Amino acid sequence: MRLVLLGAPGSGKGTQAARLKEYLDVPHISTGDLLRAEVAAGSPLGLQAKEVMARGDLVSDEILLGMLRDRFSRDDTRNGFILDGYPRNLAQAAALDQLLADLGQKFDAAVQLTVDNEQIIERLAGRAKAEGRADDSPESVRHRLNVYDQQTAPVIEFYRQHGQLTVVDGVGSLDDVFTRIVEAIAPEKAVG
Ligand code: ADP
């Protein structure tokens, strides 16, 4: 099963992706996690990305594509993946299509988790306290939501037009949202 998860910061992509990974037995590829690992390692790429991420802006398409190419060159992605945090703009959506075409793969669905902005702000304020992520300050959260609305809305439209979009209500308990996603993607039909 090859899935792309779409949704605003705080929409629950990461949490649901971690569960889907167990359920579908495919790797969870989070571009945010990959970038945070680079920052933590102090790599040249991480040094470049650090400030951009703290502001809540998007890291360059070039860096992201390089990182993804690398990740997709590993064998564990052959039978599927859950991509979380990518694509975030139209150029990235096109780059992903090309990358998968090069690998002879197609993804099964782009799942959009919908949560209204008010609830997102509440959730991220909670996460800021719990995890202390550098980009969960109120200014950065507001900015990330704006970036999301401006840059990622066209991505959602792109997948809708390609008949690949599945919209799932992201409000409710973790279990409820997970069940909705599983029902929407019907893995028993798509596995293999
Ligand atoms: P969230 O969705 O909660 O903002 P992520 O962990 O997905 O969290 O991303 C954190 C930050 O990492 C983003 O604000 C951005 O700076 C950077 N980032 C992650 N994925 C991408 C991407 N596909 N393109 C550009 N920047 C990205």
Side-chain angles (χ1 to χ4, degrees):
M1 187 96 194
R2 302 185 176 93
L3 287 184
V4 171
L5 282 189
L6 303 170
S11 61
K13 291 187 305 282
T15 314
Q16 295 298 336
R19 290 189 164 197
L20 285 166
K21 166 193 151 103
E22 300 300 321
Y23 186 75
L24 300 169
D25 195 23
V26 294
H28 168 203
I29 304 176
S30 155
T31 50
D33 285 350
L34 291 174
L35 285 167
R36 279 185 289 277
E38 296 285 345
V39 171
S43 70
L45 192 159
L47 292 177
Q48 249 179 293
K50 189 173 178 181
E51 294 295 315
V52 181
M53 290 174 75
R55 280 202 306 272
D57 282 322
L58 294 186
V59 176
S60 81
D61 291 346
E62 206 187 328
I63 288 185
L64 264 291
L65 185 58
M67 245 174 39
L68 267 197
R69 256 190 224 292
D70 238 37
R71 185 63 188 85
F72 275 102
S73 70
R74 282 166 53 187
D75 281 350
D76 65 341
T77 58
R78 242 180 241 164
N79 295 321
F81 54 78
I82 300 153
L83 189 52
D84 157 16
Y86 192 97
R88 268 172 142 97
N89 60 32
L90 267 185
Q92 293 185 2
L96 177 64
D97 268 4
Q98 187 59 53
L99 176 61
L100 292 178
D102 291 347
L103 295 168
Q105 295 184 2
K106 257 197 179 148
F107 70 83
D108 297 291
V111 178
Q112 180 197 6
L113 285 181
T114 56
V115 178
D116 58 62
N117 273 4
E118 237 168 84
Q119 192 155 147
I120 294 264
I121 289 168
E122 237 170 73
R123 286 187 187 182
L124 291 180
R127 187 167 86 182
K129 272 193 203 136
E131 295 177 16
R133 239 173 72 169
D135 60 350
D136 278 345
S137 69
E139 306 79 57
S140 176
V141 164
R142 263 197 303 278
H143 188 59
R144 267 152 63 220
L145 285 175
N146 283 336
V147 170
Y148 177 80
D149 284 339
Q150 283 168 20
Q151 313 238 22
T152 311
V155 173
I156 289 163
E157 209 34 53
F158 174 88
Y159 289 135
R160 196 194 307 278
Q161 280 170 14
H162 285 70
Q164 291 168 304
L165 185 71
T166 302
V167 181
V168 172
D169 179 4
V171 180
S173 72
L174 296 182
D175 285 344
D176 286 348
V177 176
F178 181 69
T179 305
R180 281 180 211 142
I181 297 175
V182 168
E183 278 169 3
I185 58 178
E188 68 282 358
K189 287 181 208 149
V191 161

